[in-house]
Amino acid sequence: MLNDNRIRMIIGHYGSGKTEFAVNYAINLAKEVKNVSIADLDVVNPYFRSREKQEMLLPFGVKVLSSYVTGSGSDLPAVSADVLAPLQDPESNIILDVGGDSMGARTLGRYKEYFLPGAYDMFMVVNANRPETQDVEGVLHHIDTIERSARAKVTGIVNNTHLLRYTTVEEVLKGQELCKKVSEALNIPIKYIGVLESLVDQLPKDLEGTVLPIKMIMREDWM
């Protein structure tokens, strides 16, 4: 995680668990470094957004940036100008939680001047159980359309294959096989494996990618 570039973009199709991964990633990163912020750039999907966890994340040392106006009840379809400060500060670590398709990724276009090779990472979160990303062609198509909109290249794959609380090790390994094929097709690494904490010890030890234990933060217990 410390080897990742300080600007980290998290993308993924709807239902991939992109925001859940981004929030867990931010918490773990804040245990290692200071000046961690997560920017909610999803102006398309009104559900399961990182800005909803602002109060919960603050004690971990994670600052949340979003379009939400505190106390107003308003959630504007716009991106906060506060995002610029950590993008410009070489001492800051910022995570950009981006909308789930090429339309959502358009918000990244305004920051393209900061996405220089070696200055950022863009991680594609893959859930092999989603209809649009069940095969290599689907994942590659999704990556291509987002890259065009974002004007930046994906630098790593995240296997986040899940069935929410019904996820099994077999499901994770199924997703790992898909991610391996995508990795080989694009010549980019599998960077992380997002997996429920209860399953971590059951995974094989030789899988490519760093295992990131996932707490179910974005979904309440009753969901």
Side-chain angles (χ1 to χ4, degrees), residues 161-199:
T161 299
H162 66 86
L163 291 170
L164 297 175
R165 294 180 176 85
Y166 300 99
T167 306
T168 63
V169 170
E170 289 72 26
E171 292 295 329
V172 177
L173 295 180
K174 177 183 72 176
Q176 189 74 2
E177 284 300 311
L178 173 60
C179 289
K180 183 177 179 180
K181 293 176 182 177
V182 174
S183 169
E184 292 171 348
L186 296 178
N187 195 29
I188 56 177
I190 299 175
K191 291 288 293 186
Y192 294 97
I193 304 169
V195 60
L196 292 175
E197 290 180 309
S198 60
L199 299 179

Side-chain angles (χ1 to χ4, degrees), residues 20 24 164-165 196 214-221:
E20 192 77 83
N24 277 270
L164 297 175
R165 294 180 176 85
L196 292 175
I214 297 293
K215 295 179 182 292
M216 296 288 284
I217 294 173
M218 298 307 301
R219 288 178 176 268
E220 305 298 335
D221 291 341

Side-chain angles (χ1 to χ4, degrees), residues 44-61:
V44 178
N45 182 18
Y47 306 107
F48 304 113
R49 294 180 53 179
S50 49
R51 62 97 169 157
E52 299 171 358
K53 300 301 177 180
Q54 183 169 352
E55 293 184 5
M56 185 275 289
L57 288 170
L58 194 58
F60 289 100

Side-chain angles (χ1 to χ4, degrees), residues 34-108:
K34 296 181 179 180
N35 298 325
V36 174
S37 58
I38 181 169
D40 184 348
L41 300 189
D42 191 343
V43 297
V44 178
N45 182 18
Y47 306 107
F48 304 113
R49 294 180 53 179
S50 49
R51 62 97 169 157
E52 299 171 358
K53 300 301 177 180
Q54 183 169 352
E55 293 184 5
M56 185 275 289
L57 288 170
L58 194 58
F60 289 100
V62 179
K63 182 179 181 180
V64 177
L65 310 172
S66 77
S67 59
Y68 184 70
V69 181
T70 304
S72 70
S74 300
D75 188 18
L76 307 176
V79 177
S80 171
D82 293 342
V83 175
L84 286 174
L87 284 175
Q88 296 170 347
D89 181 4
E91 301 300 319
S92 291
N93 290 274
I94 182 169
I95 299 158
L96 306 178
D97 180 14
V98 186
D101 60 11
S102 58
M103 293 295 291
R106 287 185 178 182
T107 57
L108 293 174

